[in-house]
Amino acid sequence: MVDPFGRRIDYLRVSVTDRCNLRCIYCLPLEGIHLMPRDDILSYEHICAIVQAGVELGITRVRITGGEPLVRKGLPRLLEMLSGIGGIEDISLTTNGTLLKNCARELKRAGLNRVNVSLDSLKADRFRRITRFGELEDVRQGIEEAKGAGLHPVKINTVVMKGINDDEVWDFASLTHKEGWHVRFIELMPFTDAAGFVAESEVRQHIEQMSSLKPCACVLGNGPARYYRLSEAKGTIGFVSPLTDPHFCSTCNRLRLTAMGKLRPCLMADDEIDLKGVLHSTEEIKRSILKAISQKPERHPSLPLKRNMVQIGG
Ligand code: SAM
């Protein structure tokens, strides 16, 4: 599948829930969140029907996300169902890692290939302030369990925020050396005004004051990150810069499916195509997928958005 701007679309991000067990300050307000009724959330059977239609059109890689995907009951069953769909080459998961330690091995057995863990601070008290409920130790253990389970590579996603965690950039970067972590620094998108923006250039400056960064030709995923290494580090440093990378959209290869069954051509554009009415027919799902691809904008529009990340699926 190729969109009107010549980009090949082969990657689908599937949100399985709009619920999350954390309330990260930059992602969700503490109160006043409008959650969708559970009955309105797509069943695993419906998700698989949509993925199957996508695969018939050329989707080869699927990422499970949310909300927090590990709070949805029976997720291994979905993974087993997805891995039974011939033609999917990669199934990955994005999680906050708090529940990972008790299920990493089961997820791997069910067909998950790899995992991205969101982690914005290495200091327990600060981690709790940013997430409002989280325990850093749970996430650290989850990361170790995921590695032990062979969910390789485990990537760490860190959103850098002015005055909140920007003093930890080097601490994260040095873990690519000490622990072989793969760390990706993500530019904050202004869904809320709870935290200040830090551009990629500033993050690089923090790192380059300590050590040089060498571009790395490795392909570590399906996304827009550009990868570097510190000298002799086993792990990598990636940058995901939706706001300052002028080429960010030119390699966009994805569609997003929300937990409510809406297909989004672009994370930051509010256009959605509702699949709920066409779930009875693979051919109609395919038509909707092709329509979403034909509507992908060349570049993401400016913010803010009507929905927040957990409603869309981050
Ligand atoms: N709960 C899972 C997690 O924490 O990874 C999946 C959903 S979460 C919305 C997915 C990713 O979106 C996380 O890495 C989170 O840091 C990122 N995210 C949320 N709000 C963001 C924002 N305003 N700007 C940049 N990234 C954001």
Side-chain angles (χ1 to χ4, degrees), residues 51-90:
V51 172
Q52 174 70 52
V55 166
E56 288 175 24
L57 288 170
I59 295 293
T60 57
R61 296 168 292 175
V62 174
R63 174 172 293 276
I64 306 299
T65 182
E68 171 48 42
L70 298 184
V71 302
R72 179 143 177 198
K73 281 207 185 93
L75 194 71
R77 183 167 76 86
L78 174 66
L79 293 166
E80 275 167 17
M81 290 162 76
L82 289 173
S83 35
I85 298 177
I88 299 185
E89 293 162 12
D90 183 38

Side-chain angles (χ1 to χ4, degrees), residues 89-113:
E89 293 162 12
D90 183 38
I91 305 177
S92 55
L93 173 91
T94 296
T95 171
N96 60 35
T98 51
L99 303 173
L100 195 53
K101 68 174 172 203
N102 293 326
C103 63
R105 284 165 205 273
E106 189 185 3
L107 296 174
K108 173 73 183 174
R109 273 197 303 275
L112 184 68
N113 297 114

